[in-house]
Amino acid sequence: MDIKDTAWPVDGAGISAFLRSLPARPLLLGLGEARHFVGELGELRNEIFRHLVEHEGYRSFAIESDCLMGLVVDDHITTGAGTLDDVMERGFSHRFGTAPANRELVRWMRAYNEEHDEKLRFFGFDGPLEYWAESPRQALTALHALLDGPLPCTRETLDALLGPDDRWSNEATAMDPSQSIGQSADAQRLRLIADDLAALLDTQAPRLSTEERDRAALYARTATGLLRYHHWLADASPDRWTRLSALRTAMMAANLRAVAEHGPALVFASNLHLQRNKSVMSFGDRSLEWWSAGAITATHLGDRYAFLASAFGTVGDDAPPPDTVEGILSTLPWEHSVIDARRLAEAVTTPAPRVSQDFAYFPLDPAQLGTVDGVVFLDQVVRLGSLG
């Protein structure tokens, strides 16, 4: 089989042809990043999303960013609240608000909503986490405010138990569990309160609007997830980082299932988060493994979840050897291609794994091609943003 028979140019016809090749119309179409802050990939993602909105009925976009901060962006694109500068500063975590392609995406989504009755929606689906974690204050107090009495505690009691936010968001807890307050008496009581508030949500659902129910559910899963994460930040066992990594991806997957209710949606995040395989990370002399957010999501959605990994050919001075998957894809006649990955796995035999000179680029694993629905391939990448 000629590999050209497995691929299409990344244009409207090519993306639609790829979607038609899938066994079912996905509720979530994941587009992975082989490396963060790649200007060409961000621009290509925007073109793909515009086509999906205008020709395939997509109405939602989700990104690997703080789910609570994402509410700022969603409010802006749906109602016009705030200025674009303010939204880019306050609406993204992980420095993603500095990416020009993200700014252009928000601007376009707002302009689209001004002209259409059926609104586009924006979601962050990461937790309020780096390696440490934010205070659960925003999620807990917002959930408390949406519910009606009798409640398990007053707002004053909640504030007293939470205390100063900086005792939660202490970055030193990432490497030093003794500095975490996640297993303190106050934190333990807050976990019980968060659980009680989450349980009350179902009992009061009939009096809440659809938007209030969605937001209350987001606050509930974020509050309980954050308090659980803080609990294990205070753990000093050898399994600490495996457990924390798994908890983060579980929060991502729960948010993605909520996004699917607003599907079909395009999801943009690292290949490692959206893949159907286990994530593997070297940590000192240990190798940590946990199921990725994409694997958990696919377990729930089945073939209504589809995953397009991204891959790059030449990155700066780093060109792929011709016997690697990226080297083979570099022979395609298009600058940007979308490839049916399972047909590609049948067409190429025993490709060599690529070793990239760019530490931030994660090459395609030839052994995993059969677990990927498709590949978006960029033959040359020039604009690499800073990861620091």
Side-chain angles (χ1 to χ4, degrees):
M1 182 189 300
D2 187 333
I3 66 161
K4 189 176 177 182
D5 296 332
T6 73
W8 305 269
V10 181
D11 54 20
I15 293 298
S16 291
F18 168 75
L19 289 175
R20 288 193 297 271
S21 76
L22 297 173
R25 176 180 169 85
L27 286 171
L28 297 180
L29 175 61
L31 173 58
E33 290 182 279
R35 187 192 195 277
H36 287 317
F37 298 105
V38 174
E40 289 94 339
L41 180 58
E43 292 171 2
L44 189 62
R45 173 209 66 190
N46 290 353
E47 293 176 16
I48 292 171
F49 183 60
R50 284 194 292 269
H51 174 78
L52 293 173
V53 168
E54 293 169 353
H55 300 281
E56 298 292 343
Y58 279 58
R59 291 295 178 267
S60 297
F61 177 86
I63 192 171
E64 179 192 339
S65 183
D66 183 328
C67 56
L68 299 184
M69 296 178 80
L71 296 174
V72 174
V73 185
D74 190 55
D75 283 345
H76 174 72
I77 68 163
T78 55
T79 71
T83 66
L84 182 57
D85 286 343
D86 181 57
V87 167
M88 299 311 297
E89 182 177 349
R90 297 193 301 113
F92 291 85
S93 59
H94 313 327
R95 296 181 53 251
F96 292 153
T98 65
N102 288 341
R103 184 183 184 91
E104 174 56 24
L105 177 73
V106 173
R107 187 207 62 76
W108 181 82
M109 291 178 74
R110 175 58 194 151
Y112 180 96
N113 281 347
E114 287 181 318
E115 298 178 358
H116 295 82
D117 293 331
E118 190 177 5
K119 304 303 182 186
L120 303 181
R121 298 292 305 278
F122 180 98
F123 300 92
F125 72 90
D126 201 354
L129 309 167
E130 294 287 344
Y131 291 107
W132 57 97
E134 296 294 341
S135 166
R137 177 184 302 279
Q138 180 183 354
L140 270 175
T141 56
L143 177 59
H144 188 279
L146 278 171
L147 298 174
D148 202 358
L151 300 179
C153 71
T154 65
R155 171 61 188 268
E156 290 73 23
T157 298
L158 206 56
D159 285 336
L161 291 170
L162 286 163
D165 286 345
D166 57 6
R167 68 176 187 156
W168 296 94
S169 56
N170 178 6
E171 296 182 14
T173 58
M175 301 308 297
D176 184 358
S178 69
Q179 296 205 41
S180 170
I181 65 166
Q183 295 185 16
S184 66
D186 285 350
Q188 301 284 33
R189 187 175 173 195
L190 284 168
R191 287 188 77 185
L192 291 174
I193 290 171
D195 184 67
D196 282 341
L197 291 173
L200 282 174
L201 177 55
D202 277 343
T203 72
Q204 299 187 18
R207 71 171 189 82
L208 299 173
S209 69
T210 301
E211 180 181 355
E212 288 171 334
R213 288 196 300 273
D214 285 349
R215 291 220 171 178
L218 170 63
Y219 295 139
R221 62 179 177 267
T222 303
T224 55
L226 271 177
L227 286 163
R228 189 178 298 115
Y229 192 91
H230 277 290
H231 178 90
W232 291 106
L233 268 174
D235 176 54
S237 75
D239 293 327
R240 177 179 187 250
W241 271 110
T242 299
R243 192 184 302 272
L244 289 172
S245 300
L247 287 174
R248 180 189 178 195
T249 58
M251 291 178 70
M252 286 183 169
N255 285 329
L256 285 176
R257 292 199 296 277
V259 172
E261 296 177 6
H262 300 272
L266 181 67
V267 180
F268 190 66
S270 168
N271 282 343
L272 301 181
H273 291 313
L274 297 182
Q275 66 184 358
R276 289 189 177 90
N277 307 84
K278 277 188 173 181
S279 296
V280 180
M281 179 176 73
S282 296
F283 195 81
D285 59 352
R286 303 184 65 206
S287 179
L288 310 183
E289 295 186 9
W290 65 94
W291 287 107
S292 66
I296 299 170
T297 302
T299 299
H300 289 272
L301 297 183
D303 57 15
R304 305 304 301 276
Y305 175 74
F307 171 43
L308 273 167
S310 68
F312 307 148
T314 299
V315 182
D317 296 328
D318 182 18
D323 58 347
T324 63
V325 177
E326 288 96 328
I328 294 168
L329 293 178
S330 293
T331 65
L332 289 168
W334 308 295
E335 183 180 2
H336 303 145
S337 309
V338 58
I339 297 99
D340 183 328
R342 290 185 171 87
R343 294 184 67 203
L344 178 67
E346 298 172 359
V348 298
T349 56
T350 61
R354 180 182 183 181
V355 178
S356 176
Q357 299 173 21
D358 179 1
F359 77 95
Y361 174 65
F362 294 90
L364 282 175
D365 182 351
Q368 301 299 334
L369 275 181
T371 68
V372 176
D373 295 296
V375 177
V376 168
F377 182 69
L378 285 71
D379 193 29
Q380 291 196 354
V381 168
V382 177
R383 299 196 308 280
L384 296 176
S386 170
L387 298 172

